[in-house]
Structure formats: C-alpha cells, structure tokens
Amino acid sequence: MIWELIICGVATIAFAIIFNIPYQLLWMIGLIGITSWSVFSFLPVTGVGPVPAAAVAAFTSALISHWCARKKRVPVTTFTIPGIIPLVPGGRAYETMLAFVQGDYVEGLAQTAGTLLQAGAIAGGLAFALSIFSIGRGVGQRYETNR
Amino acid sequence: MTTKNDRLIELCLTAGKLMLMYGAETYRVEDTMKRMAVAGGMRDVNSFVTTTGIFLSGMLDDDDDVMQMIRIVDRFQDLSKVTEVNHLSREFVSGSMTIQEARAELKRIEKQPMNYPLWLIYLASAVGGGAFSYLIGNSMFDMLPASIGGLVSTLALVLFQHYLQAKFFSEYLAAFFGGITALILVHSGFGTNLDQIIIGSVIPLVPGVPLTNSVRDLMAGDLISGLARGAEAALTSLSIAAGVATAVSLFIS
C-alpha cells in the first residue's frame, strides 16, 4: 500500500515534468497525486463503484489544487493537469480498443460507455471544485435577479 | 501615432499570445490582457480569445479607438511559461514595472528554452510510463518494459513532430511505435502482462492540457474554446487509440 502510494507520487511528478511545470512546485503535485489516488483506490473498498470514486477523487484533488494555487499565486491548471493523471481510465480505454479490434462490438460499446462515464466523472469532479471556488464570480444565467 | 499606446497594445497581445500558446485557459488569457490594458491606461477594454486567435479592442487616452488581433497557430505544453507570464502581469498591474521592462521580460520569456531539457522529459516519460503501468496492473516486473515503451513513444512523438509537422498523424505514429515496442518485448519473453505494458507505453501521450482546459473553459462560459479544445483532446485520444489498434491487429493476425 505504501509502496503503491510512493509509485503514484513518482508517476505524478514525472507527468508534471512532461508538462513542464516549475520545479519548485513538483513536491506539492506529488502529494496531490497521492491524495487523489488514495481516494480513488480506497472508495471501492467501501462498496462505491469506480465511476463515483473517480468523481470524488477528481473533486478532492481539484479542491486541494485550488487551495495550493491561491497560496502560491500560480494558475490553478499547473496543479490540476498532473493531479488528475492517475485517474485517467487507461485500462478501460485499452479494453475498449481491444474489443473493437477483435470484432466484439457489443463488448466494445459497453467498455466505451464505461470509459466515457469515468472520463465524464473526472470532468464533473473538476467542474464541481471549480464552481465552489468561483462562487460570486460566475457568468449570468437565466434570470436577472439583482435589479 | 503615439508610440506609448502602440507599445502597450503590443505588450498585451504578446502576453496573451504567450499564455495561449503554452497552454493557459481562455478565461485567464482574457482576464490578464484586460487587466494589463486597463493598468496601462486604456478605457472600454474588450478582449475576446478563442483557441486559435486573440482580439483586443479599447479606447486610448486621446479618444482613439484601436482593435487588433493575433492568430495563434502553434500550441505547446509548457506550463512554466504560463506561470512566468502570469507573474509578470501581476507585477505590471500592481505598477512595479514599466512598459519597457515588461516588454524586455516578455522577450526573454519568449526566447528562453523549455523549462526542462529534452533528455529529462524523455526520462520522465520513461519513469511515468513505468510507474503508471504499476498502478494499473500491479506487476513489479512489467514496469521495466513499460518504461522502455514510454521512452520509445515519446522519442517517436518528438521526432515525428519535428520532421513531419503534422499534429494528429505524429501522435498516431508515436502510439503505433510505442505499441509495437511493447508487443515485441512481450513476444520475446521480456514481460508478461501485455495490457499493462501497452498502457504504460502510451500514457505519456495523454492530452492532459486540452482535456483539463476544455472543462475549465466550458465552466467559465467560453463555449467556443471549450468545445474546440474538447475536440482537440478527443481527436488526440482517438489517434492514440488508432495507433495502438494498428499495432495490436498487426500482431494478432
């Protein structure tokens, strides 16, 4: 378990280097990656499916990223982009591709739905954290209540 | 023409161009340009940014309307430059920097090489591929072939983007070569868990910047750039999947 967390931190820092993030921030990104991975791997133990787990993990990591970005006065994408990399549904995307290559279209469509749902859950988690941090600064919608 | 105003507009446009080119989200580019223009003395400033172009309009102190645009062709991922331009714009807006100083600083940021040398990025993609493959497959022995595959796919990506200058095709070819490397390693007995090794090989190619920026743009109400970036991310993912699919079907048949 500890070993897995260390490897996850190393993976996140490696991706931060791939995205050319300033080196002073690398250790924080490693911690964010470890947090999101531990949420993502701990929630299924308690009986939550992988899709809600991905949403909660993305939400947690985005929340910490926003807080760190406020502290360090850097754009928040510096933290969120590598922070969600451990959640990317690589295994499911591979299963999807393999099913289509082998001509098993029904299985391929089922895996496509799973992959898209997990990607959408990550996006939803990100968007939710963003909404919390942009309360009062958002765009107008539907009714002009402040007149 | 008043040269001071020209310099101010050029400064704002260059800052916006650098931020957009190196992977900042649309909302941040618009906001930065607007704040810098207002701090430099423009009135009625409007900025409109899409994924491929920047527009800036405003009224100068001699009641002179200006409107300029810049076309952005290349899009790289270098978030340290975004951070530096962001920092510079904060200093310029707070007034601790003149237009000349800010211009010189922007020129320096534009000219300077990448934050990390290329060999470190190759090394990082090898390490990242190997480590990520462990998270998926839980097999310690297969981390080494996965990192070799990750190294090959990033090497191929940089090589093809330099010589072919074709965005989605070079990602397809990079995923193809990464997948071929993984398959050859597994078939020659060097590695057991094929799916883990293939995923580790192509994971350094994941389009993280357009994926995240798409969500942020859509939530900020910049629907055009959000959809455009989402399409870019989807096309990149599809080319990677097609590259791996080509490699796998070569070996299956």
Side-chain angles (χ1 to χ4, degrees), chain B residues 135-156:
Chain B
L135 295 182
I136 284 180
N138 276 320
S139 154
M140 198 74 82
F141 177 67
D142 289 334
M143 278 170 71
L144 191 60
S147 56
I148 294 173
L151 179 65
V152 168
S153 59
T154 311
L155 273 173

Side-chain angles (χ1 to χ4, degrees), chain B residues 94 98 220:
Chain B
S94 73
T98 62

Side-chain angles (χ1 to χ4, degrees), chain B residues 105-126:
Chain B
E105 183 73 11
L106 270 184
K107 282 262 157 42
R108 186 189 65 78
I109 296 175
E110 195 173 10
K111 288 267 162 50
Q112 80 180 8
M114 276 194 301
N115 190 28
Y116 296 106
L118 208 49
W119 63 265
L120 190 60
I121 290 180
Y122 292 143
L123 184 71
S125 44

Side-chain angles (χ1 to χ4, degrees), chain B residues 18-214:
Chain B
L18 283 182
M19 289 188 100
L20 191 60
M21 247 170 89
Y22 291 106
E25 64 269 42
T26 307
Y27 153 77
R28 186 175 305 281
V29 181
E30 283 182 355
D31 195 51
T32 305
M33 280 166 48
K34 193 168 177 177
R35 278 169 197 266
M36 285 174 80
V38 170
M42 272 167 85
R43 283 177 290 128
D44 296 338
V45 185
N46 279 300
S47 63
F48 176 62
V49 174
T50 69
T51 320
T52 46
I54 295 178
F55 300 81
L56 179 72
S57 79
M59 202 180 273
L60 298 169
D61 33 8
D62 48 357
D63 282 345
D64 201 6
D65 269 325
V66 282
M67 156 100 204
Q68 284 205 19
M69 75 151 303
I70 280 191
R71 175 79 165 88
I72 307 291
V73 183
D74 299 318
R75 286 189 297 283
F76 305 110
Q77 49 184 31
D78 191 342
L79 295 175
S80 70
K81 287 196 175 177
V82 176
T83 314
E84 280 185 51
V85 179
N86 193 48
H87 188 68
L88 176 141
S89 84
R90 272 179 206 273
E91 284 192 355
F92 180 74
V93 170
S94 73
S96 61
M97 205 179 226
T98 62
I99 293 184
Q100 270 85 359
E101 283 169 358
R103 264 185 68 181
E105 183 73 11
L106 270 184
K107 282 262 157 42
R108 186 189 65 78
I109 296 175
E110 195 173 10
K111 288 267 162 50
Q112 80 180 8
M114 276 194 301
N115 190 28
Y116 296 106
L118 208 49
W119 63 265
L120 190 60
I121 290 180
Y122 292 143
L123 184 71
S125 44
V127 171
F132 193 86
S133 78
Y134 179 78
L135 295 182
I136 284 180
N138 276 320
S139 154
M140 198 74 82
F141 177 67
D142 289 334
M143 278 170 71
L144 191 60
S147 56
I148 294 173
L151 179 65
V152 168
S153 59
T154 311
L155 273 173
L157 181 73
V158 173
L159 199 72
F160 286 126
Q161 276 194 338
H162 186 254
Y163 285 108
L164 294 184
Q165 305 265 341
K167 187 171 165 43
F168 299 115
F169 187 56
S170 51
E171 272 147 357
Y172 167 82
L173 285 177
F176 174 72
F177 279 101
I180 283 284
T181 313
L183 284 158
I184 287 175
L185 284 174
V186 170
H187 276 259
S188 57
F190 189 63
T192 47
N193 209 343
L194 179 63
D195 47 348
Q196 178 188 340
I197 296 175
I198 287 190
I199 295 163
S201 307
V202 296
I203 202 75
L205 307 175
V206 164
V209 175
L211 212 60
T212 317
N213 279 342
S214 159

